[in-house]
Amino acid sequence: MKKILLLSDTHSYIDERILHYVKESDEVWHAGDIGDLKVTDAIEALKPLRAVYGNIDDDKARATFPLNQRFSCEDVSVWITHIGGYPPKYNINTREEIKTNPPKLFICGHSHILKVIPDKINNVLHMNPGAAGKHGFHKVRTMLRFTLDQGKIENLEVIELGKK
């Protein structure tokens, strides 16, 4: 079993509240718009990190992290990308792959809107953790936490970090 902390859209912001939850997790996943790499450096100093770059990320972040991460964790197939769309209207870059080779868990960021949506057509669970940073139109900073265990996604929690 692994306890996963999922965040996105930090836009160069990291604080002790975020790091508190990092310390309580087994792995941290970042769905892009990292901003300054001091964010990922602070996370990686504490826990293993999987991340993708987002549309605001510079060439340093793009050289460090990929656009897409596809992997398996605890027998759950996972795909993380920054801009992916939502079921049933995935964006053009993800739509066909989700139909032909769907992950069990599809994660994206970008919108700053926390959403968890089951895609019953493709048998995919879509997660967007909202925005953990202070830049953007969102009013409350958010993340998600959940466990993966033997092919199951369980114990999903919304973490509200307060107003931005």
Side-chain angles (χ1 to χ4, degrees):
M1 179 178 75
K2 286 204 179 186
K3 187 181 280 189
I4 307 298
L5 179 66
L6 174 61
L7 70 159
S8 185
D9 296 276
T10 48
H11 292 264
S12 301
Y13 185 78
I14 188 97
D15 65 8
E16 287 304 316
R17 295 254 313 140
I18 294 171
L19 294 175
H20 166 80
Y21 290 102
V22 167
K23 291 173 190 169
E24 291 184 346
S25 302
D26 296 318
E27 286 187 16
V28 179
W29 299 351
H30 195 303
D33 278 4
I34 297 161
D36 193 311
L37 290 182
K38 71 178 183 180
V39 170
T40 51
D41 291 346
I43 293 168
E44 285 182 305
L46 299 171
K47 296 292 175 166
L49 172 70
R50 297 179 195 256
V52 297
Y53 70 79
N55 58 294
I56 66 109
D57 289 317
D58 64 12
D59 55 343
K60 290 178 189 171
R62 290 169 190 246
T64 305
F65 300 106
L67 174 62
N68 295 291
Q69 285 253 22
R70 288 215 60 170
F71 57 93
S72 182
C73 182
E74 293 291 316
D75 296 323
V76 173
S77 59
V78 180
W79 180 2
I80 305 174
T81 194
H82 184 60
I83 302 173
Y86 294 99
K89 297 181 180 179
Y90 297 102
N91 77 13
I92 195 152
N93 297 319
T94 58
R95 185 178 311 137
E96 203 53 44
E97 181 77 9
I98 287 175
K99 286 180 186 175
T100 59
N101 186 21
K104 186 167 189 172
L105 178 56
F106 180 68
I107 295 168
C108 66
H110 186 62
S111 72
H112 293 218
I113 301 168
L114 187 147
K115 289 186 182 185
V116 177
I117 305 169
D119 176 349
K120 295 178 183 173
I121 294 169
N122 296 298
N123 197 28
V124 172
L125 181 60
H126 175 281
M127 289 186 188
N128 184 323
K134 291 190 169 188
H135 178 77
F137 67 89
H138 60 285
K139 304 242 186 282
V140 177
R141 300 168 42 233
T142 58
M143 303 185 296
L144 291 171
R145 182 167 57 180
F146 54 93
T147 58
L148 299 179
D149 189 18
Q150 299 178 5
K152 296 178 192 159
I153 304 163
E154 300 177 313
N155 304 313
L156 179 63
E157 301 172 76
V158 172
I159 298 170
E160 291 189 353
L161 298 165
K163 295 183 179 180
K164 62 178 197 155

